[in-house]
Amino acid sequence: MNERNVTTLPLEETGGRLTLDGGALAANYAALAARAAPAECAAVVKGDAYGLGLEPAAARLWQAGARTFFVALPIEGRRLRAVLPEATIYVLNGLFAGAEPVYLAQKLRPVLGSVEEIERWSAFCRGRAGPLPAAIHVDTGMNRLGLAPTDAIGLADRRDELAFPVALILSHLACADEPSHPLTMRQLEDFRAIVALFPGVPASLANSAGTLGDPALHFDLVRPGIALYGGRARADVSALRPVVRLELRIVQLRDVHEGEPVGYGAAQTARRHTRIAVLSAGYADGLPRLAGSSDLRRGAAVMIAGRRCPLIGRISMDLITVDVTDVPADEVQAGDFATALGAGIGVDDWARHAETIGYEVLTSLGRRYHRVWHD
């Protein structure tokens, strides 16, 4: 993946243009790596690199210096291996039964989060594969994946019996995005106690929020995700450089008289003679429906001709409507593009209006856009 530009659908056939900034992605990685030093900075590229595209994003992160990557699924690991033959790749969601040969063939390291998975990987290594490295996931308070602390203690006692090397001990922070949340310090203390049982094994606790937080959370390796892609990871830290710019095609301009409704459900009524622009994208393209506007609540906005223009009415599957009354008539016309992400509008702005998080907005951006990477 050494190309300068990667495109998907022809621009003239799509409702929007999604521009992905490889330079910003590399700069964000460099900033996080500097923050984490002397710990190694890995890159989390699960969820199709948070919606940006696994292969081109990973190639640029490798060029920026990342050597260790985390995915969620073996199929993501297979895709990643095809473009990064020398990378260290961990599969966060564990060891899928029957997929052991895939981990072997693709040189993937499972993140083992249960006694059953550990026994199965050990048996696979003993039976045919040889000593293949894996990570051990210990739960310190998330109550999701991971060994219970008592199981981790038992594993440490019989570590010499394992048929594979433990390459990494990791856990996952539950509340690091909320400064001063007491659970974070409790998890840190519990993780330190577990790490002490595995001398000589590298340890990893910090996600994006942890990387941007207390250096005590960094240990030997940090695993940033959302911060790499320009999303806000902590309430007290501004987002890094935006990586995504989304521009939506203006299909039509029309006038709406005062008192007339706009869109499905007549959710919003024009309070004045209103000029609206109809944009060719909707919730099928990843624009969250709850970010629409109504008479009771203000929705998201886009930028047109340097002016912030609020949505008017609901977001539908393929279209949104925007109030452009305050934009001079000679500065907006059908065929122009409105900026939905970029120019000061980020994924977290859309998320706030949709009562969700920037992660969901970013990973939901659809496949109907013309996509282009530039560096």
Side-chain angles (χ1 to χ4, degrees):
M1 298 298 293
N2 296 317
E3 76 295 331
R4 300 293 293 179
N5 294 284
V6 176
T7 61
T8 51
L9 306 177
L11 178 60
E12 63 274 12
E13 298 179 23
T14 64
R17 174 171 52 215
L18 190 62
T19 304
L20 305 159
D21 188 339
L25 179 62
N28 290 346
Y29 175 81
L32 290 162
R35 178 109 180 195
E40 179 186 355
C41 186
V44 179
V45 293
K46 62 182 181 177
D48 202 27
Y50 286 55
L52 274 67
L54 175 65
E55 290 85 355
R60 284 161 174 81
L61 288 164
W62 177 271
Q63 291 165 5
R67 293 296 178 264
T68 302
F69 294 80
F70 288 81
V71 296
L73 305 170
I75 189 62
E76 294 177 325
R78 182 191 291 276
R79 289 174 55 190
L80 184 56
R81 179 60 71 206
V83 294
L84 297 182
E86 299 177 10
T88 298
I89 303 172
Y90 287 96
V91 181
L92 286 165
N93 283 17
L95 179 64
F96 291 5
E100 290 89 348
V102 176
Y103 292 80
L104 171 62
Q106 300 299 323
K107 299 180 182 178
L108 307 178
R109 296 183 178 186
V111 178
L112 306 172
S114 71
V115 172
E116 187 276 333
E117 287 186 345
I118 291 168
E119 291 177 348
R120 190 151 41 83
W121 186 247
S122 196
F124 180 68
C125 292
R126 188 177 294 112
R128 56 174 288 194
L132 302 174
I136 301 296
H137 187 172
V138 181
D139 177 45
T140 55
M142 174 75 84
N143 284 308
R144 202 175 55 174
L145 294 178
L147 290 174
T150 52
D151 289 331
I153 293 170
L155 179 66
D157 290 339
R158 58 184 181 87
R159 179 180 166 191
D160 292 341
E161 302 174 12
L162 297 176
F164 63 89
V166 178
L168 186 69
I169 298 287
L170 67 84
S171 191
H172 196 83
L173 294 167
C175 302
D177 56 330
E178 301 177 36
S180 302
H181 196 290
L183 180 56
T184 300
M185 288 300 102
R186 195 180 85 196
Q187 286 191 270
L188 174 59
E189 292 171 3
D190 291 348
F191 189 60
R192 279 175 172 159
I194 295 297
V195 169
L197 300 175
F198 294 85
V201 178
S204 177
L205 179 63
N207 52 7
S208 286
T211 303
L212 294 169
D214 186 346
L217 300 170
H218 293 170
F219 289 87
D220 301 294
L221 180 140
V222 299
R223 313 186 307 269
I226 189 68
L228 288 171
Y229 309 110
R232 192 169 187 176
R234 289 176 60 97
D236 61 340
V237 178
S238 298
L240 301 181
R241 288 178 54 177
V243 177
V244 175
R245 183 179 181 87
L246 176 60
E247 298 163 290
L248 306 178
R249 187 185 303 275
I250 299 175
V251 180
Q252 188 180 108
L253 296 165
R254 60 190 304 124
D255 292 301
V256 176
H257 296 297
E258 180 180 358
E260 290 185 346
V262 178
Y264 280 119
Q268 188 163 5
T269 302
R271 297 183 179 179
R272 58 178 177 173
H273 185 88
T274 303
R275 183 81 162 155
I276 66 170
V278 183
L279 311 184
S280 185
Y283 57 75
D285 304 290
L287 303 180
R289 185 174 180 273
L290 285 178
S293 186
S294 73
D295 289 332
L296 301 178
R297 62 189 296 272
R298 191 175 183 86
V302 302
M303 295 293 289
I304 298 177
R307 294 169 176 81
R308 187 176 289 261
C309 300
L311 272 62
I312 180 169
R314 290 179 180 172
I315 293 175
S316 56
M317 182 181 290
D318 311 295
L319 299 167
I320 59 175
T321 44
V322 177
D323 186 344
V324 294
T325 309
D326 297 326
V327 179
D330 61 349
E331 295 186 23
V332 56
Q333 57 186 341
D336 290 346
F337 285 86
T339 302
L341 291 172
I345 299 175
V347 292
D348 296 291
D349 296 307
W350 280 84
R352 184 177 64 255
H353 288 290
E355 299 179 4
T356 184
I357 55 176
Y359 299 72
E360 184 174 8
V361 175
L362 195 57
T363 58
S364 297
L365 294 175
R367 293 289 177 262
R368 298 198 296 181
Y369 299 121
H370 169 83
R371 288 179 172 238
V372 58
W373 279 89
H374 72 82
D375 295 296

